[in-house]
Amino acid sequence: MKALIVYSSWFGHNRAIASLLASELRQHGMSVDILPDARVAPGRVASYDLLILGSYTHNGRAGHRLRALIEQIAPRQLQRLSVAVFGTQVVESPSYHHPGGVDDLEACLAARGCDLAVAPLRIGRNGLGRFTSRLGLSASERATIRAFAAELWDASVPALLI
């Protein structure tokens, strides 16, 4: 099984999440390529079984390159892929959810008739200062990413073996 992780990252958080996610999926025996959004052409997606997209949030939206990538992938390719999304966004309070890049990616995929293999992974960041001052992931964030990888493996492998 082959996976492609494509990410948009301004401060390095989504790159770090993508790297840990790739490492976890490789431990399950998956072949994984990881690329920034600027280096992925839509036709490249055809050789993969699983597509994982990760984005920052800017003004409630995902990175424009990821949205453009989704629009350019042929519908038949999207239908045969398992697809998942992850991303970071500022969280002002635990009880209030601002629309973010993950929501934008999910909406773009849904508009193209693509359902996600698993629920999206959202990593909340408390304010801009935390984005610029700390590139590392906390222990709880690492655990959340590992659980997401395990759930993604469980959801994707049986569907691809049918």
Side-chain angles (χ1 to χ4, degrees), residues 1-5 25 29-33 44-52 76-84 114-115 117 152-153 155-161:
M1 180 172 180
K2 290 177 57 178
L4 174 62
I5 302 174
L25 291 172
M30 195 177 292
S31 171
V32 181
D33 291 328
R44 185 172 189 161
V45 173
S47 64
Y48 293 92
D49 306 301
L50 173 62
L51 175 64
I52 306 167
R76 68 184 182 288
Q77 287 178 342
L78 273 178
Q79 296 306 314
R80 75 160 195 83
L81 286 170
S82 285
V83 180
C114 181
D115 295 323
L152 189 52
W153 172 261
S156 298
V157 172
L160 295 171
L161 295 178

Side-chain angles (χ1 to χ4, degrees), residues 10 49 56 64 66 83 86 119 128 135 138 142 162:
W10 276 1
D49 306 301
Y56 55 80
H64 71 279
L66 284 180
V83 180
F86 70 88
L128 186 59
L135 289 180
S138 71
R142 288 179 174 278
I162 293 176

